[in-house]
Amino acid sequence: MAGISGKHEFGDELVRQEVLTREELDAIMEREEATGVPWYRQLIQKEIISVGALEDLFRYEYHSKAKRQQDESIGATLVKMGEVTKEDLKKALAEQKRTGRLLGKILLDGKIVGPEALAKALARQHKLEYATLPKTSSHAEALEAVPESVARKYKFIPVRIEGDRLTALIGDPRVLNSLEDAEVFLGKRIHPILSHIDNFNEELKKRYGKRATAALDEPEAPPPKAAPRRRPESVPEKMEPSKALKQGEEKQGEVVMIEEIVTEETTLDFAEIARQASGASVMQLVSKMIEGAVNSGATDIHLDPQEPEMRVRYRIDGVLHDVMSIDHEIEAAVVSRVKIMADMDITETRHPQDGHIAFDFADKEFDIRVATLPCFLGERVVLRLLDASAVLQGIKDLGLETEDIKKLSTLIQQPYGMILVTGPTGSGKTTTLYAALNQKNVLTESIVTLEDPVEYQLSGINQVQIETDIGVSFANTLRAAMRQDIDVLLVGEIRDAETARIAIRAAMTGHLVFSTLHTNDAPEAISTLRNMDVPSYLLASSLTAVVAQRLVRKVCPKCKKAFTPAKAMLKSLNLPESTKKLYRGEGCTACYHTGTKGRTGIFEVLEVTPQIRQMIAADESTEKICRAAKLKTMADRCRNKVKEGIIPPEEFLRVIRT
């Protein structure tokens, strides 16, 4: 490994600066060789180093998000405010690096800044309002609504109440996260205002006056009561509730983290998730529900309001599994807790809402997209778990065959042209596009993505969220992006003729364009674009490749068994009658008795060679183009995986035939 790292003087410099160890650098270099993801890209994605730090290393002027955040640090804020000189800040940062102490504490102890100035800088850094303590009195109704023990535990001072909003003073921005828990207890949204508070306990005691100070233990507080359900006439008025979750009160205690991480050897049982959650508070229940989904390898969590209780289901490998049920008495509290975590309006129950949750678990970062939908029996909530580590994938990680990897890797490095990825919803198109972007150089190329929604945040790449409600559509945003001096452009989806024409024009004018279409196979993308009134001669000159894909479930290795297929099955699979043995899973605890565990991709790659380009320009049919390209179809690739025992025959019939 020394030889590999020795080729990269920049990596050696990072080791000398103690940004990472030699072992870490060697591991990153190995991954670069295996996946094609550049070493510096891995460092950025893993947040080992910011783009700004790489900028200094490479002496390359690149203003990234990480750099902007760095500029908005507390030290830089104090300098801008004129409270600290650059020289004093430099000395303080050196001491922080040496001692590990908080920068604010160093500045205070050295009498470089005063506490009021530091508090104002913290407010500016965290985008909070600032108010001086003497000028912000507490209204009586606010003190009546919030028990002193709750205010003391969560370190805030109630100021005033306006509807469902409670304005409160805080003395430290670090308490912001814990305020979410207080919101659940109080049933109100807390609006924090930062202030300099010398002695929090004394100030709190003074404001509550001669009231008896409550015990420091958190009070037993019932969750918000659920509104009576509207029941269909066919449903009996009284039904026996589930025993899975009968806990209707908030209880004290730390959240017990689920420690088992699913591997090939272990599987977290749904009954165990339900058992651990049954005695939990609402906050703990929601945390355990998400942790259980992560451990189970789920991609989505469904909270379905049913009678007599709410069903909780995980989608694993594309299949929904019942996990537990939530008693009607705490259903509203659970939904409210999810809304608070997702920064949604807890009082709005009549309209759909969208939000997201940043969730760290098992050394992984998850961005959880949350969507609510008002239904007849209550609010339906779906949480989509997006693993941030998934964006580190390279082309070699997708499951492509060797010849396709070589072909696609070469095409991605072309300076211009259009590469399309097609397939149904949930087939992994976004993952493939991000893997392609990972092969590009974020430091020397200008990269912009237009997405709806932005599923993963990519460091060093400018991402645009499409908002059609306010006029930010793919078409008009793409038109604006054309004036931004872009090298690589990712268009989340081509949905209409206008977007298609602009994307084609971008590919013809020196841009490398990635995008997606909803078609059944690769050749069909050509006919779809023709139907969008894209002239064949333009399509021929701009299109570089089309990748069609599907995700198929694999046979569970724990319960894999051979069987003799019937003639009818062989005919459906288009396999010879001489085939004596195929494989499927019998069902076990490792695969939740489905017989399948994990998924793999099935691809077909249509490269637009000079011959194919001529045929597209001449308006030849997709059938002739397919034959001329000698295309290995998804059906052929899927059939081979069936014969190899990688996927069960039922998956071929589900994905290819339907």
Side-chain angles (χ1 to χ4, degrees):
M1 287 307 303
I4 295 174
S5 60
K7 297 177 183 178
H8 297 267
E9 62 274 15
F10 295 124
D12 293 335
E13 179 63 23
L14 291 174
V15 173
R16 284 192 291 272
Q17 294 181 11
E18 298 183 355
V19 174
L20 72 167
T21 65
R22 175 65 61 183
E23 290 74 20
E24 289 173 331
L25 178 62
D26 290 344
I28 287 169
M29 295 304 177
E30 282 187 346
R31 182 169 177 82
E32 180 183 36
E33 285 201 335
T35 66
V37 180
W39 64 276
Y40 55 82
R41 181 61 181 253
Q42 296 179 55
L43 292 176
I44 294 171
Q45 296 282 12
K46 291 180 178 180
E47 297 185 356
I48 295 175
I49 190 171
S50 69
V51 175
L54 275 177
E55 166 189 328
D56 295 334
L57 190 62
F58 287 105
R59 294 181 175 84
Y60 188 89
E61 295 183 0
Y62 186 87
H63 299 287
S64 67
K65 182 180 179 182
K67 182 67 174 175
R68 291 193 298 271
Q69 289 175 342
Q70 182 184 1
D71 292 340
E72 293 300 322
S73 66
I74 185 64
T77 303
L78 286 165
V79 172
K80 290 178 183 177
M81 293 170 61
E83 299 289 344
V84 175
T85 65
K86 291 183 179 180
E87 187 61 30
D88 286 338
L89 178 60
K90 186 177 179 181
K91 291 178 181 178
L93 288 171
E95 184 175 346
Q96 183 190 41
K97 185 177 181 180
R98 181 176 57 84
T99 63
R101 297 167 63 207
L102 293 174
L103 180 63
K105 182 69 172 170
I106 294 171
L107 294 172
L108 285 173
D109 291 347
K111 300 187 182 328
I112 300 172
V113 297
E116 286 280 352
L118 181 60
K120 289 179 181 178
L122 285 169
R124 182 181 293 189
Q125 183 189 27
H126 292 275
K127 296 179 173 60
L128 296 172
E129 292 183 44
Y130 179 82
T132 57
L133 199 62
K135 295 182 179 180
T136 312
S137 58
S138 295
H139 296 186
E141 63 268 21
L143 297 174
E144 288 286 348
V146 182
E148 184 180 350
S149 59
V150 174
R152 190 181 301 276
K153 178 177 180 60
Y154 294 108
K155 296 195 180 302
F156 70 87
I157 298 174
V159 174
R160 60 182 177 272
I161 289 180
E162 299 165 317
D164 73 328
R165 171 167 142 159
L166 169 66
T167 300
L169 290 173
I170 62 173
D172 189 340
R174 289 176 293 180
V175 307
L176 289 171
N177 290 334
S178 64
L179 292 183
E180 294 181 357
D181 296 339
E183 289 177 324
V184 172
F185 286 123
L186 301 171
K188 297 188 179 295
R189 178 85 58 184
I190 297 177
H191 173 65
I193 297 177
L194 191 67
S195 183
H196 169 58
I197 306 174
D198 281 322
N199 191 317
F200 174 81
N201 289 332
E202 286 298 321
E203 182 66 27
L204 192 69
K205 187 176 180 180
K206 183 174 71 173
R207 298 210 178 199
Y208 275 88
K210 297 180 179 180
R211 302 167 188 267
T213 303
L216 297 184
D217 292 333
E218 190 173 329
E220 300 277 342
K225 291 290 185 182
R229 292 190 188 223
R230 297 173 293 171
R231 300 170 182 259
E233 294 181 1
S234 59
V235 179
E237 197 61 27
K238 293 184 179 180
M239 300 183 73
E240 210 46 49
S242 168
K243 305 297 181 185
L245 290 172
K246 290 297 286 181
Q247 184 69 25
E249 297 182 349
E250 298 286 351
K251 293 185 177 181
Q252 279 305 109
E254 295 182 358
V255 176
V256 180
M257 306 298 279
I258 300 174
E259 296 182 354
E260 300 94 321
I261 305 298
V262 173
T263 64
E264 291 185 358
E265 291 73 33
T266 63
T267 301
L268 190 64
D269 189 76
F270 294 150
E272 178 63 16
I273 297 175
R275 186 191 67 77
Q276 293 188 36
S278 64
S281 68
V282 170
M283 290 176 293
Q284 293 170 335
L285 189 155
V286 174
S287 294
K288 288 178 180 294
M289 190 169 61
I290 297 174
E291 292 166 7
V294 172
N295 277 324
S296 304
T299 56
D300 302 85
I301 304 172
H302 288 225
L303 306 182
D304 294 323
Q306 302 290 331
E307 286 289 1
E309 53 215 2
M310 173 177 275
R311 297 170 66 196
V312 179
R313 297 187 292 173
Y314 292 168
R315 185 177 294 280
I316 303 172
D317 296 336
V319 178
L320 283 171
H321 300 265
D322 274 305
V323 178
M324 66 179 89
S325 53
I326 298 175
D327 191 85
H328 175 54
E329 293 297 320
I330 63 169
E331 177 183 321
V334 170
V335 174
S336 294
R337 173 60 180 166
V338 173
K339 285 183 175 181
I340 287 171
M341 294 173 69
D343 197 24
M344 299 160 71
D345 186 355
I346 61 175
T347 64
E348 179 56 73
T349 60
R350 298 172 301 171
H351 297 96
Q353 295 189 70
D354 295 296
H356 75 93
I357 303 168
F359 191 81
D360 295 342
F361 182 67
D363 297 325
K364 287 188 175 182
E365 296 179 4
F366 292 86
D367 185 57
I368 304 175
R369 282 174 25 207
V370 183
T372 66
L373 181 68
C375 298
F376 183 67
L377 294 177
E379 283 189 277
R380 184 174 191 264
V381 184
V382 175
L383 297 87
R384 169 150 292 186
L385 281 63
L386 302 170
D387 184 359
S389 64
V391 301
L392 275 175
Q393 290 192 105
I395 294 294
K396 297 179 182 178
D397 298 322
L398 299 176
L400 289 155
E401 296 187 5
T402 304
E403 61 180 292
D404 291 336
I405 293 174
K406 293 180 180 178
K407 187 186 299 182
L408 207 53
S409 297
T410 302
L411 295 172
I412 289 171
Q413 299 306 322
Q414 297 295 315
Y416 57 87
M418 175 183 283
I419 298 176
L420 293 176
V421 182
T422 75
T425 301
S427 60
K429 298 189 299 294
T430 301
T431 301
T432 299
L433 290 176
Y434 284 171
L437 286 183
N438 275 332
Q439 313 301 120
K440 306 304 293 182
N441 192 328
V442 298
L443 294 174
T444 60
E445 294 179 288
S446 173
I447 304 174
V448 173
T449 73
L450 315 180
E451 303 174 70
D452 182 22
V454 176
E455 295 191 0
Y456 300 98
Q457 293 184 6
L458 305 174
S459 298
I461 292 177
N462 300 285
Q463 296 174 270
V464 180
Q465 172 71 56
I466 298 300
E467 300 281 0
T468 53
D469 293 342
I470 59 174
V472 184
S473 65
F474 276 111
N476 58 27
T477 309
L478 180 55
R479 193 179 294 108
M482 293 285 288
R483 299 188 292 271
Q484 290 289 311
D485 187 27
I486 295 170
D487 298 309
V488 182
L489 181 64
L490 188 153
V491 183
E493 185 182 346
I494 294 178
R495 298 176 179 176
D496 52 59
E498 186 179 8
T499 305
R501 286 193 294 270
I502 299 172
I504 290 289
R505 193 176 302 120
M508 292 180 62
T509 53
H511 304 82
L512 180 61
V513 180
F514 298 102
S515 191
T516 69
L517 277 176
H518 287 284
T519 64
N520 292 323
D521 54 39
E524 194 177 322
I526 298 172
S527 57
T528 299
L529 290 172
R530 285 170 173 170
N531 292 334
M532 290 183 177
D533 296 327
V534 177
S536 294
Y537 69 91
L538 292 181
L539 188 58
S541 59
S542 59
L543 192 61
T544 301
V546 183
V547 181
Q549 64 182 77
R550 297 286 191 280
L551 286 177
V552 294
R553 297 192 291 266
K554 298 190 293 184
V555 177
C556 174
K558 297 289 186 182
C559 59
K560 182 178 181 179
K561 297 290 183 183
F563 71 97
T564 303
K567 289 184 178 180
M569 175 177 284
L570 293 175
K571 186 176 180 180
S572 299
L573 297 170
N574 197 19
L575 290 175
E577 293 186 4
S578 58
T579 304
K580 301 296 183 185
K581 188 167 60 175
L582 295 177
Y583 296 88
R584 62 159 65 104
E586 292 187 322
C588 63
T589 56
C591 62
Y592 308 107
H593 304 284
T594 61
T596 57
K597 187 173 179 64
R599 291 190 290 181
T600 186
I602 302 293
F603 300 86
E604 64 181 31
V605 180
L606 174 62
E607 182 183 2
V608 182
T609 62
Q611 181 188 4
I612 302 301
R613 201 176 304 280
Q614 290 178 2
M615 295 181 72
I616 294 173
D619 283 327
E620 297 283 359
S621 67
T622 54
E623 290 81 7
K624 289 184 178 179
I625 292 173
C626 194
R627 286 196 298 271
K630 298 179 180 179
L631 184 66
K632 292 185 179 179
T633 65
M634 285 185 290
D636 296 332
R637 304 274 171 88
C638 196
R639 192 176 294 109
N640 290 335
K641 290 185 183 293
V642 170
K643 291 191 291 186
E644 294 167 5
I646 297 174
I647 65 174
E650 292 80 7
E651 268 305 273
F652 177 95
L653 300 175
R654 182 184 72 87
V655 174
I656 302 300
R657 296 288 299 271
T658 61

